[in-house]
Amino acid sequence: IIQNKCPSIAVNTEEFTTHGLRNCLGYILRDRFTFNGSIISSRRTYLSMGDVYTEFTRQHEVFSLEDIKEFSRELDAAINWDIVRRGAIRISETEFVRKDQIIFDVDVIDNVLDGMCPGEYIPLKNISLFLYFPAMGYQWNLYVLESYLYSRSKRFKLVHTSFSQNGVYGGMVRNDSSIGDYSELITEALSNSDSLSSTKSALNYLLNNGYQATLRYNGIEQVVQKAKLMKEKRETEEK
C-alpha cells in the first residue's frame, strides 16, 4: 500500500525492517490506531492476537494445517493453538472443522470412555479402538478425541503440556480426579512405573507412553522425586 500510495516514503524507508516501519507508523498514527504486533486496528476497536485467531476459526467452516500456518506467517506470530482448538475440531493430521459443524453425543461418548478408563487417567496413546463411538460425521481418531476432551466432554478432560502440530500427546483424566495439571499427571504415572532410576529413564517412559513428544521437561528432577515418595508411600501402605 505504501509503495502504491506513497512511493517517496517507500523509497526513504526501503532499508527499514517490517517491524521498524510498523513502529514508526504506530508512533505517527498513535491517536487514530492501535498497533498490537502485526495487528493494526481502530483506536476504538482494540484487537488482540487471540481475537484475530478466534475470527479466523469463525470465518472458516473447514481449513487445513497449512492454511493456519500460512495465516500465522502473515501475522508474523506463533500460532495460538489454544484459541484455534477452542473454535475448531481437528479431524486429522492436516484438517480442521469449525466446532459448530460437528455434533457429539456427549453422554454416549463419555459412557464409552468410562469403560476405557478404569482408573483416574489413561494416556491417549492407549486409546485406539473407536468402533464403539457413535457416528458424528467424520471418522473417529486420536485427533478428534483430543478435541472432544478439550472442549466437549462432561466427565473427562485433556491434560497435556500443549497442543502439537504433529501428533497427539498427553492423557485423558477424570474431572473428579485429584490430578489437576500435567505435572501431577506424570508424577502419578511415573509413581506406577519402574522408570524412576534416573531422569533419563523417566523421560523415556513419558515419551514411549505418549505423554509428551520430546525427551525434555522442565522440572523433571522434582517430578521424579515426588513420584519416588508417592511410590514408597503406596508400597508401605500395601504392606
Side-chain angles (χ1 to χ4, degrees), residues 106-107 110 148 152-156 175:
V106 174
D107 291 333
D110 278 358
Y148 173 79
R152 295 294 182 86
S153 179
K154 295 177 182 176
R155 292 187 228 167
F156 297 91
N175 282 333

Side-chain angles (χ1 to χ4, degrees), residues 110-111 113-122 154-159 171-180:
D110 278 358
N111 281 336
L113 294 175
D114 195 53
M116 294 181 170
C117 185
E120 288 188 309
Y121 67 95
I122 183 174
K154 295 177 182 176
R155 292 187 228 167
F156 297 91
K157 59 189 175 185
L158 173 68
V159 178
M172 180 178 79
V173 179
R174 292 185 181 275
N175 282 333
D176 58 3
S177 165
S178 60
I179 298 171

